[in-house]
Amino acid sequence: MLSGHLRLCALRFSFACFLARRCFGFTDIRIQQRNGRKSLTTVQGLPDKLDLKKILKAFKKVFSCNGCIVKDPELGAVLQVQGDQRKNAMDFLVKEQIVAKDQIKVHGF
């Protein structure tokens, strides 16, 4: 009985992941070099239904850095965070179940 229940849960989860991938696409995490050792981490491709201000506030608190939301007509809303926060951002988005791990692409260096 338990194995049947687990199979049903796995089927529901895989279907939910399929729908999420189809609706939202990928989330890109990039790093941009500024001057010297300074850098910016950008997160783009998050679904529009999310409250980006709350996500940015959590990023700033957890990563101890500053950041902002940049509105781009081509890319939509892009989160910018100071420093190289690529790994931290990916771990945070997966841990809080905002984006599935297979939907995230990390770029840079």
Side-chain angles (χ1 to χ4, degrees):
M1 179 75 178
L2 184 62
S3 63
H5 178 68
L6 288 176
R7 244 183 284 137
L8 181 61
C9 289
L11 181 63
R12 285 182 186 159
F13 179 74
S14 64
F15 183 68
C17 288
F18 169 75
L19 288 178
R21 265 187 253 121
R22 185 171 178 180
C23 294
F24 302 129
F26 286 99
T27 299
D28 295 305
I29 301 175
R30 292 185 168 87
I31 187 165
Q32 294 178 350
Q33 194 67 34
R34 284 180 45 211
N35 49 356
R37 294 177 53 190
K38 308 288 183 183
S39 61
L40 285 174
T41 301
T42 60
V43 180
Q44 70 185 40
L46 290 172
D48 293 335
K49 69 177 187 173
L50 294 176
D51 188 1
L52 297 179
K53 288 183 181 181
K54 285 186 179 181
I55 294 173
L56 181 64
K57 186 175 181 178
F59 274 11
K60 289 164 61 171
K61 185 170 184 152
V62 172
F63 306 154
S64 301
C65 63
N66 201 3
C68 64
I69 299 173
V70 177
K71 305 270 186 200
D72 187 81
E74 196 174 290
L75 302 173
V78 178
L79 296 178
Q80 283 188 347
V81 184
Q82 289 181 347
D84 185 3
Q85 306 291 344
R86 290 175 294 173
K87 174 119 174 67
N88 294 337
M90 185 182 78
D91 292 343
F92 181 85
L93 292 173
V94 171
K95 179 181 168 196
E96 297 298 324
Q97 297 178 351
I98 297 171
V99 181
K101 189 171 184 174
D102 60 344
Q103 291 179 294
I104 298 176
K105 291 185 179 179
V106 179
H107 306 276
F109 301 143

